């Protein structure tokens, strides 16, 4: 079949491009950055006692994870499914409650935490500073503190995850507001609306989808964190995994891990579906 | 004995007679980082009048509009909105005085997730306590009725429940004007309201603004980049060049040459 004729001039060469400006300083900066990065990696490897033989032995050696743990874990103990499911529901409850409390606190902080809404620079700096501190303290450390004050129970995990979550979600929410289109906000301000009215009628509806999306995105992360905190006294499936590992009951642990993975994948999938519908 | 509404009126027009001008700008100056953007601008806007401001980019049109309601703080000059000196007001008083003016922006200033009706109701936020405006379904019946009337006035009543995100540019701009109407403002300040619209929608919006000025006795100040629309719909055309008003005349008195001069310096002609 004959191809369509190519219009005259279509294949003519374009005009020569002007020479790309070469900035010697830029080249040196890139080289220096690469050297610093390489040095950092080498230092980190040495500092943690990195060794290739340890890596291979740890994975595939006679005492490696595959032979000494994965092998004895199979097949998983199906008798532990019921108890695992019950405990995983507790873990899910920890994740949901901490997300809910974190979202409420982060939204309440928004009028001060977002630069474009804050009434003064000092109020903004104060709130963002508090959020930075909450973010800087790892969940596990917070959990250890709450174990002392609240006791060994899932509610300690809720509190630890909530406080750390306020630091993370507070920042993410504030940044979403800072990037929003401010025209509707300005329009309502001109109409004489007060700060709270502007917040309720222009800011929140403007970022609602982003906030829901960020919350759903954080839900599976919170579930994983709840498992970890469970192992140090926060209850749920993390607590069971820790107990069974201490007793070398790898088949039971395998069952719990499967349950945990199913939960995480399900939450991830549902949150992706919901976010796509926003 | 005066009813509440009449008492409000008597407070609003604190002088013996109502002011002649909805908006009076005298000698307003504004600088940004040492560059003087407004160099002593004078402008009067009467009730029932539509005034178009023409000028090249950067000549100070939008700055003037923002200074007119103190969204930007002028460095010097006097601004009277419905007879009240805005410069002397602060906080709540300023907010209340500013309610006499509504702004229609170039970008669509609607909350996209809310319906047209909910957006229009927001025009009344300034007069509502928080307990009657904490959510869009908490607006009083009277405000909803007024919003419906406003939508009818701009020919958008059939789209009342449509989310703002689904409206065309022209429709959204009409809803923004309805919000200004629901605000019961005496002055509408429109900052390039038709720049993002196709020619037909632009004409519709300009026709609506002129109609609001003439039938509802609102003062309408509109910044435009389309001289032909200014000459067709405005009662007066103000030309601005490098921060100064170079002409303020009725459309028949504005020659194409005078308009062209506003833009010539940009292109070095």
């Amino acid at each position: 079949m004959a191809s369509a004729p190519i219009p005259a001039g279509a294949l003519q060469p374009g005009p020569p491009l002007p020479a790309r400006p070469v900035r010697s300083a830029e080249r040196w900066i890139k080289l220096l950055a690469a050297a610093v990065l390489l040095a950092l990696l080498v230092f980190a490897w040495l500092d943690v006692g990195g060794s290739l033989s340890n890596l291979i032995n740890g994975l595939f050696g006679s005492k490696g994870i595959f032979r000494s743990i994965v092998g004895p874990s199979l097949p998983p103990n199906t008798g532990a499914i019921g108890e695992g499911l019950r405990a995983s529901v507790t873990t899910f409850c920890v994740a949901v409650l901490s997300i809910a409390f974190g979202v409420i606190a982060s939204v309440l902080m928004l009028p001060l935490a977002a630069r474009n809404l804050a009434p003064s620079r000092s109020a903004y700096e104060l709130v963002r500073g508090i959020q930075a501190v909450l973010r800087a303290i790892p969940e596990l450390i917070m959990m250890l503190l709450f174990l002392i004050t609240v006791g060994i129970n899932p509610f300690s995990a809720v509190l630890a995850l909530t406080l750390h979550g306020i630091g993370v979600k507070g920042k993410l929410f504030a940044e979403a507001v800072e990037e929003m289109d401010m025209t509707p906000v300005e329009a309502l301000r001109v109409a004489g609306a007060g700060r709270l009215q502007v917040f309720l009628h222009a800011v929140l509806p403007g970022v609602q989808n982003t906030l829901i999306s960020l919350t759903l995105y954080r839900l599976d992360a919170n579930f994983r964190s709840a498992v970890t905190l469970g192992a140090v006294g926060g209850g749920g499936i993390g607590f069971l995994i820790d107990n069974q590992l201490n007793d070398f009951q790898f088949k039971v642990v395998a069952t719990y891990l499967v349950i945990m993975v199913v939960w995480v994948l399900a939450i991830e999938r549902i949150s992706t579906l919901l976010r796509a519908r926003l | 004995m005066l009813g509440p509404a009449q008492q409000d009126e008597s407070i609003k027009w604190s002088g013996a007679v109502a002011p002649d001008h909805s908006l009076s700008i005298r000698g307003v100056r504004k600088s940004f980082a040492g560059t003087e953007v407004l160099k002593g601008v004078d402008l009067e806007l009467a009730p029932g009048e539509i005034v178009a401001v023409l000028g090249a980019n950067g000549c100070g049109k939008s700055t003037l509009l923002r200074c007119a309601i103190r969204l930007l703080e002028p460095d010097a000059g006097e601004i009277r909105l419905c007879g009240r000196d805005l410069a002397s007001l602060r906080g709540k008083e300023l907010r209340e005085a500013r309610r006499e003016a509504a702004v229609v922006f170039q970008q669509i200033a609607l909350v996209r997730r809310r319906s047209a009706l909910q957006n229009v109701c927001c025009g009344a936020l300034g007069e509502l306590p928080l307990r009657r405006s904490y959510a869009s379904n908490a607006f009083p019946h009277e405000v909803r009725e007024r919003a419906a009337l406003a939508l009818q006035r701009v020919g958008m009543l059939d789209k009342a429940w449509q989310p703002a995100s689904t409206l065309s540019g022209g429709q959204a701009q009409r809803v923004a004007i309805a919000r200004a109407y629901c605000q019961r403002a005496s002055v509408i300040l429109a900052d390039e309201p038709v720049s993002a619209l196709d020619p037909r929608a632009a004409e519709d919006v300009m026709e609506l603004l002129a109609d609001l000025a003439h039938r509802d006795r609102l003062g309408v100040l509109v910044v435009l980049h389309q001289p032909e629309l200014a000459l067709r719909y405005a009662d007066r055309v103000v030309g601005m060049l490098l921060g100064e008003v170079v002409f303020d005349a009725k459309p028949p008195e504005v020659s194409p040459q005078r308009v062209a001069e506003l833009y010539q310096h940009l292109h070095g002609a």
Side-chain angles (χ1 to χ4, degrees):
Chain A
M1 202 173 139
S3 58
I6 297 166
L11 293 177
Q12 280 178 3
L17 282 171
R20 187 178 175 179
V22 180
R23 294 185 197 140
S24 56
E26 196 179 313
R27 184 180 294 169
W28 280 111
I29 288 169
K30 280 182 183 169
L31 276 173
L32 187 67
V36 168
L37 183 64
L38 190 64
L40 184 67
L41 289 175
V42 171
F43 172 76
W45 178 262
L46 295 175
D47 193 63
V48 301
S51 121
L52 213 53
S53 61
N54 275 353
L55 173 69
I56 294 166
N57 286 336
L59 288 174
F60 309 107
S62 57
K63 290 184 178 175
I65 198 163
F66 283 103
R67 286 197 199 171
S68 63
I69 295 180
V70 176
S73 302
L74 298 175
N77 183 344
T78 50
I81 288 178
E83 197 180 3
L85 278 176
R86 254 195 319 279
S88 67
V89 169
T90 304
T91 303
F92 181 69
C93 292
V94 168
V96 168
L97 269 184
S98 58
I99 275 273
F101 292 158
V103 166
I104 292 167
S106 301
V107 169
L108 289 176
M109 283 172 140
L110 261 183
L112 300 176
R115 196 192 299 265
N116 48 354
L117 299 182
S120 69
R121 176 88 190 177
S122 51
Y124 162 79
E125 294 289 356
L126 176 71
V127 172
R128 288 298 280 266
I130 292 170
Q131 290 176 347
V133 170
L134 291 177
R135 220 171 31 249
I137 304 172
E139 295 147 340
L140 195 60
I141 305 299
M142 283 208 187
M143 178 67 190
L144 296 177
L145 296 175
F146 280 117
L147 284 180
I148 299 167
T149 57
V150 179
I152 300 176
N153 63 53
F155 193 62
S156 299
V158 171
L159 293 176
L161 282 175
T162 299
L163 285 188
H164 185 78
I166 291 170
V168 176
K169 284 190 285 291
K171 182 174 188 272
L172 292 175
F173 285 12
E175 282 173 356
V177 170
E178 283 167 2
E179 284 165 18
M180 74 177 282
D181 173 19
M182 288 296 282
T183 325
V185 172
E186 209 167 27
L188 294 199
R189 277 184 184 154
V190 175
R195 276 179 184 280
L196 203 50
Q197 288 173 318
V198 170
F199 183 70
L200 293 172
H201 290 280
V203 178
L204 274 188
V207 293
Q208 188 178 314
N209 278 4
T210 314
L211 301 197
I212 294 173
S213 178
L214 287 170
T215 303
L216 291 170
Y217 179 72
R218 293 289 306 167
L219 186 58
D220 63 282
N222 253 35
F223 184 86
R224 285 193 301 270
S225 299
V227 173
T228 311
L229 298 192
V232 292
I237 199 162
F239 187 68
L240 294 189
I241 289 173
D242 185 51
N243 276 351
Q244 298 301 325
L245 269 179
N246 289 339
D247 293 342
F248 301 101
Q249 297 297 317
F250 295 134
K251 290 184 194 301
V252 179
V253 170
T255 308
Y256 295 155
L257 286 179
V258 169
I259 291 171
M260 189 193 81
V261 168
V262 169
W263 267 102
V264 171
L265 293 181
I267 293 170
E268 208 177 82
R269 185 75 193 135
I270 291 168
S271 104
T272 307
L273 283 174
L274 289 175
R275 278 189 286 150
R277 283 175 183 274
L278 287 174
Chain B
M1 197 169 148
L2 290 175
Q6 287 160 311
Q7 279 172 357
D8 281 353
E9 282 300 299
S10 67
I11 293 164
K12 197 159 78 178
W13 306 118
S14 52
V17 289
D20 295 336
H21 293 104
S22 302
L23 180 67
S24 170
I25 296 171
R26 296 213 178 129
V28 166
R29 293 179 177 276
K30 178 70 186 172
S31 297
F32 292 109
T35 306
E36 198 167 28
V37 179
L38 296 178
K39 301 171 181 170
V41 173
D42 296 329
L43 199 150
E44 306 286 345
L45 178 70
E49 184 183 40
I50 176 166
V51 174
V53 183
L54 291 176
N57 288 333
C59 75
K61 307 181 301 290
S62 297
T63 305
L64 176 67
L65 217 70
R66 283 165 181 270
C67 283
I69 46 169
R70 278 185 58 194
L71 276 180
L72 278 177
E73 207 62 51
D75 299 333
E78 187 189 71
I79 296 161
R80 297 188 83 83
L81 181 61
C82 294
R84 295 183 77 176
D85 179 12
L86 287 195
S88 63
L89 303 177
R90 294 280 177 275
K92 197 180 170 196
E93 274 190 335
L94 174 63
R95 247 195 2 245
E96 277 176 11
R98 215 155 46 186
R99 263 168 41 199
E100 290 291 354
V103 180
V104 176
F105 295 87
Q106 176 188 355
Q107 306 96 310
I108 306 305
L110 301 179
V111 180
R112 293 169 54 80
R113 288 183 59 84
R114 295 274 164 94
S115 69
L117 185 74
Q118 287 168 333
N119 269 287
V120 174
C121 283
C122 285
L125 280 177
E127 63 191 77
L128 294 173
L130 191 61
R131 69 188 159 78
R132 305 193 72 183
S133 62
Y134 60 90
S136 52
N137 55 5
F139 286 120
H141 185 65
E142 181 268 323
V143 168
R144 285 165 176 271
E145 276 191 340
R146 201 200 309 165
L149 269 174
L151 281 171
Q152 190 180 37
R153 180 71 181 81
V154 302
M156 290 290 293
L157 189 58
D158 57 326
K159 309 271 190 232
W161 294 109
Q162 206 164 309
S165 57
T166 63
L167 299 174
S168 69
Q171 289 172 336
Q173 210 57 301
R174 282 172 166 270
V175 172
I177 293 169
R179 181 172 58 195
Y181 197 78
C182 185
Q183 188 183 325
R184 291 200 281 215
S186 307
V187 175
I188 292 182
L189 305 173
D191 190 5
E192 300 183 30
V194 298
S195 290
L197 306 183
D198 65 58
R200 182 63 238 168
E203 283 190 15
D204 286 347
V205 167
M206 284 306 297
E207 212 169 292
L208 176 62
L209 288 172
D211 194 48
L212 285 172
H214 299 145
R215 273 177 53 193
D216 296 84
R217 303 286 299 157
L218 300 182
V220 177
L221 184 66
V222 54
V223 166
L224 284 175
H225 268 308
Q226 296 83 354
E228 68 286 358
L229 292 178
L231 295 172
R232 193 179 324 155
Y233 291 104
D235 299 316
R236 266 170 46 227
V237 178
V238 173
M240 282 188 71
L241 181 62
L242 302 172
E244 287 177 290
V245 172
V246 289
F247 65 80
D248 183 344
K250 290 185 174 9
E253 297 162 12
V254 180
S255 65
Q257 176 62 28
R258 290 180 88 182
V259 173
E261 279 167 10
L262 298 176
Y263 302 93
Q264 269 173 1
H265 78 285
L266 266 188
H267 307 287

